[in-house]
Amino acid sequence: MSQPDRLIVFDTTLRDGEQSPGASMTKDEKVRIGKALEKLRVDVIEAGFPIASPGDFEAVSAVAKAVKNSTICGLARALDKDIDRAGEALKAANSARIHTFIATSPIHMQHKLRMSPEQVVEQAVHAVKRARRYTDDVEFSAEDAGRSEIDFLCRIFEAVIEAGATTLNVPDTVGYAMPNQFGGLIHTLRERIANADKAVFSVHCHNDLGLAVANSLSAVSNGARQVECTINGLGERAGNASLEEIVMAVRTRPDVFSCQTNLDSMQIVNCSKLVSNITGFPVQPNKAIVGANAFAHESGIHQDGVLKSRETYEIMRAEDVGWSQNRMVLGKHSGRNAFRNRLENLGISFESEEALNAAFFRFKDLADKKHEIFDEDLQALVTDTKTESFNERVKLISLKVCSETGETPHATVVISLDGEEEPGAAIGGGPVDAAFKAIESIVNSGTELQLYSVSNITSGTDAQGEVTVRLEKGGRIANGQGADTDIVIASAKAYINAVNKILEPAAKAHPQTGDV
Ligand code: KIV
Ligand code: ZN
């Protein structure tokens, strides 16, 4: 019997995922996610779009420095300046890939690029050759391939393979494709391109019609051997194909797919929680694989069936994707070494002893309030600590809120704004409203609250509340997170975290629509 092929998993959480409004991540957060993806054994990590901003460049360089067992990829339009910047950012990588792209659909070539098909082929070939100056691992994407003409796709792909591209990516940029049609496209391309055997065919599907995973899997059935995907399906608009769903589909149905991934599926839940925690995008409870209810059997009939024999209703085991690791890990008496070890297991490390000490101090404080500390508590605590140690203009010094039946809630707060401590006070419809207004009385951010959500990190009334706040100002969106056993304090932290992001200098450019 022949060996199944390897399906390459290309994760773009740090690039396409970050393009999701409000999902921007700091360099440090990107490194944390990069390390978790490395532990998951993702083959290729697309770490960003280096030309977008100095911050993006530094984040790609930092991921390239920190992650040694996955290939690190940088995105570049088919322009010399983008490619050179990507090449530069990837210098420290053990294994580097440059991913260059240009649009190929009539609508994009005519209206966005204002270029003829001949010019597009010429620019694509030039870009691939330039990228090959930096690395042998060059990926070319035909943006909006899902709406491109097949003859033109064959022509441009053949030309870029000739120029040195080793991966050909077929994106359904606008999420328009249907599974049969998209699978058929991959089949036709592989059949018609003369030098098709010299490159790996890849797909990159968006989820506008909820078909990103179905389209990707149909492509895999037709010979695609790389899938581009994101943790929790994060990404532009309705998102990208979800990594966890693709990986578990291929693993659960070896009778259907003649390929397999190299991933350690036990790391999936950990990665999902980390990405949700850092971006503030909650995972819906009924989300496949990583939703809180994905393996919960509520109905009596199902429970009875599962107790008698698991296979009656379960097609995968919760343990195989990392759910069973959700157990009490540390307590009040745990020491610094146990704390450090547990964090290392979660893929979290600190740049200095001071940073570790600050987190340990917080842990002790939390352990005083909360009997059992779970992995999820540690993730939230580290996010909080690292967020606060970041160069922030606004810091919460103290908060007092009075809430009493028959009385109007009232908050008093002390905020450090650009190093100066200032007091503020306000009343509100509820304690959280009063706290936000008291903070605004000092920072005057001029933002509008778009979303406020609270969830408990673990169960029990002593659990930490995790709050997400989304603020908008002049079209810019920022999500803030905060965690605390006191949800009013968690809310204030989340609000301040979002305000700090909004106050940061202008946002970076968008690779597909923005100008750099
Ligand atoms: O959706 C898309 O087409 C992209 C490309 C840059 C690959 O993200
Ligand atoms: Zn995309």
Side-chain angles (χ1 to χ4, degrees):
M1 242 175 74
S2 65
Q3 282 286 82
D5 288 355
R6 171 79 166 269
L7 178 63
I8 298 167
V9 176
F10 175 115
D11 180 279
T12 183
T13 307
L14 300 179
R15 197 276 298 169
D16 211 315
E18 205 206 16
Q19 283 170 220
S20 188
S24 66
M25 304 166 214
T26 64
K27 178 176 84 174
D28 198 43
E29 289 167 342
K30 285 192 169 187
V31 170
R32 272 177 75 197
I33 293 178
K35 301 277 284 174
L37 292 172
E38 180 185 36
K39 208 163 173 206
L40 178 62
R41 296 210 297 258
V42 158
D43 301 283
V44 186
I45 298 173
E46 187 164 53
F49 176 45
I51 195 140
S53 68
D56 236 55
F57 178 88
E58 277 167 32
V60 174
S61 302
V63 175
K65 236 177 246 148
V67 174
K68 291 297 164 203
N69 297 318
S70 302
T71 295
I72 307 303
C73 174
L75 183 71
R77 291 165 304 177
L79 298 172
D80 289 357
K81 60 177 179 175
D82 284 36
I83 292 162
D84 295 346
R85 199 78 177 130
E88 188 72 22
L90 293 167
K91 258 188 184 154
N94 260 2
S95 162
R97 172 179 296 188
I98 294 179
H99 175 192
T100 185
F101 74 98
I102 193 163
T104 52
S105 63
I107 188 167
H108 274 230
M109 290 194 288
Q110 204 179 325
H111 298 292
K112 184 174 98 168
L113 299 176
R114 299 207 172 101
M115 285 168 74
S116 68
E118 286 64 36
Q119 288 171 316
V120 168
V121 175
E122 197 182 311
Q123 193 163 320
V125 165
H126 177 83
V128 167
K129 286 187 177 157
R130 185 144 188 128
R132 283 292 300 243
R133 290 191 194 171
Y134 295 95
T135 171
D136 292 345
D137 188 350
V138 173
E139 172 169 334
F140 171 75
S141 277
E143 190 192 4
D144 205 18
R147 293 188 299 171
S148 301
E149 285 165 2
I150 185 76
D151 288 348
F152 185 59
L153 279 182
C154 289
R155 180 174 154 205
I156 197 164
F157 279 144
E158 196 167 327
V160 294
I161 296 176
E162 193 62 34
T166 43
T167 302
L168 301 181
N169 187 35
V170 184
D172 179 22
T173 303
V174 291
Y176 180 70
M178 291 290 133
N180 276 349
Q181 175 204 3
F182 198 63
L185 172 63
I186 301 302
H187 183 85
T188 310
L189 289 171
R190 291 183 60 232
E191 225 174 41
R192 283 191 41 194
I193 296 173
N195 47 4
D197 59 320
K198 305 263 182 328
V200 172
F201 277 78
S202 164
V203 287
H204 173 112
C205 296
H206 279 272
N207 206 29
D208 300 67
L209 292 171
L211 293 169
V213 169
N215 286 335
S216 305
L217 292 175
S218 175
V220 170
S221 293
N222 283 281
R225 285 297 174 262
Q226 174 176 288
V227 276
E228 301 200 353
C229 45
T230 57
I231 300 288
N232 299 337
L234 196 69
E236 283 271 66
R237 307 180 307 279
N240 287 68
S242 129
L243 176 146
E244 56 278 7
E245 292 176 22
I246 291 179
V247 168
M248 291 314 288
V250 169
R251 181 180 158 141
T252 307
R253 297 301 304 269
D255 54 327
V256 173
F257 299 102
S258 56
C259 54
Q260 61 191 26
T261 73
N262 185 42
L263 264 66
D264 175 3
S265 63
M266 304 261 291
Q267 298 297 323
I268 284 178
V269 167
N270 184 30
C271 281
S272 162
K273 289 189 170 165
L274 182 64
V275 169
S276 167
N277 179 256
I278 284 177
T279 59
F281 280 45
V283 176
Q284 75 195 54
N286 58 331
K287 164 88 176 60
I289 320 291
V290 293
N293 285 355
F295 293 89
H297 295 276
E298 182 69 35
S299 98
I301 299 173
H302 285 205
Q303 282 181 0
D304 185 51
V306 171
L307 287 176
K308 284 179 182 142
S309 165
R310 283 184 99 123
E311 291 79 35
T312 44
Y313 286 99
E314 273 190 11
I315 57 164
M316 301 166 273
R317 296 183 321 158
E319 304 88 281
D320 290 346
V321 295
W323 274 112
S324 62
Q325 289 167 357
N326 176 15
R327 57 182 195 272
M328 204 267 280
V329 288
L330 294 174
K332 194 177 161 130
H333 302 293
S334 307
R336 194 182 310 261
N337 272 345
F339 178 68
R340 188 203 302 260
N341 284 344
R342 192 64 217 160
L343 290 180
E344 270 168 15
N345 268 331
L346 292 172
I348 299 167
S349 56
F350 289 90
E351 272 163 18
S352 63
E353 267 314 283
E354 283 94 341
L356 172 71
N357 287 346
F360 185 65
F361 180 76
R362 289 231 175 176
F363 158 72
K364 282 290 181 187
D365 189 42
L366 178 63
D368 271 342
K369 296 181 196 149
K370 190 174 184 288
H371 206 56
E372 302 169 312
I373 308 287
F374 295 82
D375 283 343
E376 291 87 336
D377 290 313
L378 295 177
Q379 302 264 31
L381 180 138
V382 171
T383 300
D384 240 32
T385 314
K386 293 208 172 188
T387 305
E388 282 196 2
S389 59
F390 184 63
N391 238 352
E392 291 179 319
R393 291 184 57 194
V394 185
K395 289 191 169 112
L396 177 67
I397 304 297
S398 66
L399 171 67
K400 183 175 162 195
V401 181
C402 298
S403 180
E404 194 181 339
T405 13
E407 296 293 327
T408 306
H410 178 255
T412 51
V413 68
V414 178
I415 294 287
S416 158
L417 177 61
D418 294 327
E420 293 284 315
E421 287 194 11
E422 289 186 40
I427 54 168
V432 172
D433 188 42
F436 286 3
K437 285 180 174 146
I439 296 166
E440 266 306 309
S441 74
I442 302 166
V443 299
N444 290 313
S445 70
T447 54
E448 212 162 284
L449 182 68
Q450 287 203 332
L451 175 136
Y452 170 75
S453 84
V454 189
S455 58
N456 50 337
I457 292 179
T458 54
S459 54
T461 49
D462 68 346
Q464 290 194 85
E466 187 170 44
V467 176
T468 300
V469 163
R470 182 177 298 163
L471 298 178
E472 191 266 346
K473 185 179 181 181
R476 268 184 83 190
I477 291 175
N479 280 333
Q481 291 79 50
D484 201 285
T485 48
D486 180 323
I487 60 161
V488 182
I489 294 176
S491 303
K493 286 181 181 174
Y495 191 87
I496 288 172
N497 183 223
V499 167
N500 275 312
K501 288 183 181 170
I502 283 269
L503 294 181
E504 269 174 32
K508 58 194 185 181
H510 186 290
Q512 288 149 282
T513 56
D515 223 5
V516 183

